[in-house]
Amino acid sequence: MPLLKISETVFTFQCPVQSHWKHRRETICGPVDSYFCLFDRYRNDQNFTEFCRGNDDFEGPGQKLIVAGSINGTLQGAPCEHDFYQPFKFLSSGNSRCVYKKSYCNEEGQVIYGNGTLKTDNECRCDYTSGYDFVITPKHRCYCEPAEEDCSCYHKICLANHILSPGMSERIRNSKMNIKN
């Protein structure tokens, strides 16, 4: 009887979700070693690798750990991906990527005020040029920090001959209109 070929699909290994790392450690590492699952720069397929080691490692804010250099698994720091940030030290136990994804600032009326760094999130503002203002005034008048506060915007109706300024306050559209004859 001939064999039936169902698929030639190739799967690339991805690290388990953080809640499964303890189970993986118990399954493949034993009680003493720590479980690691990190991006492996050494391998040609640029994939993730899991392995066991005697202790956890960490890297400073804005960095993650990757496997690089040799087949023995030398660990080194690497910057977070462009759309992620890491505001505290990266601990290799339970993490394979920088922790936070940067905010998009793409809700109604929102635009990017400032691009974040490897350590900070993007900053958002309401598009005052299109008449949007913050629902709740943020701690900084002109922008908000999405990880810390509500950045929702609404379309504000201004008085006749008024526009929104960058500080989200109304001002008269053209000062010459207020001159009395």
Side-chain angles (χ1 to χ4, degrees):
M1 175 186 238
L3 293 175
L4 178 64
K5 188 175 192 179
I6 296 175
S7 174
E8 290 185 6
T9 304
V10 176
F11 295 96
T12 58
F13 175 73
Q14 293 292 314
C15 294
V17 294
Q18 188 175 6
S19 61
H20 295 175
W21 280 45
K22 180 181 177 194
H23 176 70
R24 287 299 288 163
R25 181 185 63 78
E26 291 169 354
T27 302
I28 67 170
C29 296
V32 179
D33 288 337
S34 293
Y35 170 77
F36 290 78
C37 186
L38 299 172
F39 183 75
D40 191 343
R41 184 179 285 166
Y42 179 73
R43 292 178 46 176
N44 291 331
D45 58 1
Q46 300 283 304
N47 213 339
F48 289 87
T49 282
E50 61 180 356
F51 57 96
C52 302
R53 206 162 123 159
N55 59 338
D56 291 335
D57 286 294
F58 64 91
E59 191 62 41
Q63 300 281 306
K64 62 181 180 175
L65 283 167
I66 62 168
V67 179
S70 74
I71 201 151
N72 294 332
T74 302
L75 301 182
Q76 74 177 38
C80 295
E81 296 87 352
H82 77 282
D83 56 342
F84 282 82
Y85 68 104
Q86 181 75 28
F88 46 82
K89 71 180 181 180
F90 178 92
L91 182 61
S92 59
S93 176
N95 296 301
S96 56
R97 293 190 168 109
C98 293
V99 175
Y100 296 116
K101 188 159 182 68
K102 288 188 179 180
S103 299
Y104 291 114
C105 303
N106 62 351
E107 299 295 323
E108 181 181 355
Q110 286 182 351
V111 292
I112 292 274
Y113 176 82
N115 290 318
T117 66
L118 297 172
K119 301 175 189 176
T120 62
D121 194 7
N122 291 332
E123 298 161 333
C124 304
R125 72 170 172 86
C126 292
D127 186 3
Y128 63 87
T129 63
S130 297
Y132 285 92
D133 196 0
F134 287 109
V135 171
I136 299 171
T137 304
K139 65 181 176 183
H140 306 282
R141 276 185 66 79
C142 294
Y143 67 94
C144 73
E145 298 171 346
E148 298 177 15
E149 53 195 333
D150 183 357
C151 295
S152 300
C153 302
Y154 74 101
H155 195 258
K156 184 173 184 172
I157 307 299
C158 294
L159 298 172
N161 297 326
H162 285 72
I163 60 170
L164 286 176
S165 67
M168 300 302 156
S169 60
E170 283 188 53
R171 63 180 172 88
I172 297 174
R173 184 181 306 268
N174 184 341
S175 60
K176 293 179 182 177
M177 298 173 88
N178 285 340
I179 299 174
K180 293 183 180 182
N181 292 332

